[in-house]
Amino acid sequence: MEFDEKKGTENVTNVTGKSDIWEEESPKSNIESNESNISGAEVEKETAQKPPLLKRFWKEWGDVVILLAVVFVLFKFILQLAWVPTGSMETNIPAKSLQICWQLPYKLGDPLPKHGDVITFWSDECNEVLVKRAIGLPGDTVSISGGYVFLNGEPLDESYLPVQGITESPEPSFTVPEGCVFFMGDNRTGSFDARFWANHYIPVSQLQAKALLTISVGRNHSWTGIRFITK
């Protein structure tokens, strides 16, 4: 304590008071600092534990991505789905049925089908994909007489037809050129096929797949269910 003679007053320098104030503020400041450090540490910990966006996406959707990739490859290169809107292949393939076809060989090259194979192919004349049965291969002569089909002079076994002896044609004979195939539908009285086309033959390069399986589930079909396609 000091006495000011001029003013007659006492000037008090409370050093202890300042010290007291420091001591009171210091713990609060330390707590806030500690809380800030803890909060920052927790954020860093959460950031470190949180996986990258791509990793989280793969964990949640990886199975779906793989499934879609498999389906894409399967139906892009291995199998083909073909819709048959008409009854040209009745009763083996009902109208409005779905075909599952084997297309891998035709993606890798231009193989010849076997006699009696049911094939999907592109028709320039009809401007669409068709499903018909291979009757004549390159070099074959297909003749139609008395309602029956002859292949190179021999009667053709067509046990797959629903009705025998009803095949007719505007022309009695067709000789298949090299690199081409002659097709007909099984419904011989209800199929617009090679017998009636302006160009009777389909180039091998336009063949797409071999039909394997028919799925028929509609009403008023000749049959319903799933069947393998036979010769």
Side-chain angles (χ1 to χ4, degrees), residues 12-26:
V12 179
T13 303
N14 193 345
V15 177
T16 304
K18 290 184 178 179
S19 176
D20 291 342
I21 294 174
W22 173 259
E23 289 177 358
E24 290 177 358
E25 293 180 351
S26 181

Side-chain angles (χ1 to χ4, degrees), residues 194-216:
R195 295 169 292 167
F196 309 104
W197 296 337
N199 184 0
H200 303 296
Y201 314 104
I202 299 296
V204 173
S205 60
Q206 293 179 202
L207 307 188
Q208 294 187 354
K210 177 183 176 180
L212 299 177
L213 196 69
T214 299
I215 302 174
S216 175

Side-chain angles (χ1 to χ4, degrees), residues 70-86:
V70 170
V71 171
F72 174 79
V73 172
L74 187 64
F75 288 101
K76 180 68 175 178
F77 301 103
I78 300 175
L79 298 178
Q80 179 193 58
L81 294 178
W83 176 253
V84 180
T86 70

Side-chain angles (χ1 to χ4, degrees), residues 41-229:
E42 289 178 351
V43 171
E44 290 179 0
K45 185 178 179 180
E46 290 180 359
T47 304
Q49 291 178 348
K50 197 173 184 180
L53 179 61
L54 183 59
K55 189 174 182 180
R56 283 188 286 119
F57 174 83
W58 183 256
K59 184 178 180 180
E60 294 179 7
W61 299 98
D63 293 342
V64 176
V65 173
I66 292 173
L67 178 61
L68 292 176
V70 170
V71 171
F72 174 79
V73 172
L74 187 64
F75 288 101
K76 180 68 175 178
F77 301 103
I78 300 175
L79 298 178
Q80 179 193 58
L81 294 178
W83 176 253
V84 180
T86 70
S88 66
M89 290 293 291
E90 289 277 8
T91 57
N92 292 307
I93 300 178
K96 299 181 180 179
S97 62
L98 183 67
Q99 312 304 304
I100 297 179
C101 312
W102 174 248
Q103 68 172 341
L104 183 60
Y106 296 92
K107 286 290 186 180
L108 300 177
D110 296 321
L112 278 174
K114 295 179 181 179
H115 289 103
D117 284 350
V118 176
I119 302 295
T120 65
F121 56 90
W122 175 260
S123 169
D124 290 330
E125 187 170 327
C126 299
N127 196 35
E128 63 179 337
V129 175
L130 301 179
V131 180
K132 306 288 182 186
R133 196 177 294 273
I135 302 298
L137 301 182
D140 287 341
T141 297
V142 179
S143 303
I144 298 171
S145 177
Y148 292 90
V149 178
F150 296 83
L151 185 63
N152 300 322
E154 299 293 330
L156 182 63
D157 179 14
E158 294 192 292
S159 54
Y160 45 77
L161 293 181
V163 181
Q164 299 285 335
I166 60 171
T167 303
E168 296 181 356
S169 174
E171 299 181 32
S173 182
F174 305 88
T175 299
V176 185
E178 287 299 319
C180 293
V181 180
F182 183 88
F183 288 99
M184 284 197 287
D186 290 353
N187 184 3
R188 294 295 162 79
T189 59
S191 174
F192 181 68
D193 51 41
R195 295 169 292 167
F196 309 104
W197 296 337
N199 184 0
H200 303 296
Y201 314 104
I202 299 296
V204 173
S205 60
Q206 293 179 202
L207 307 188
Q208 294 187 354
K210 177 183 176 180
L212 299 177
L213 196 69
T214 299
I215 302 174
S216 175
V217 294
R219 295 180 180 179
N220 302 321
H221 282 193
S222 53
W223 58 268
T224 59
I226 300 175
R227 292 184 184 179
F228 285 99
I229 295 176

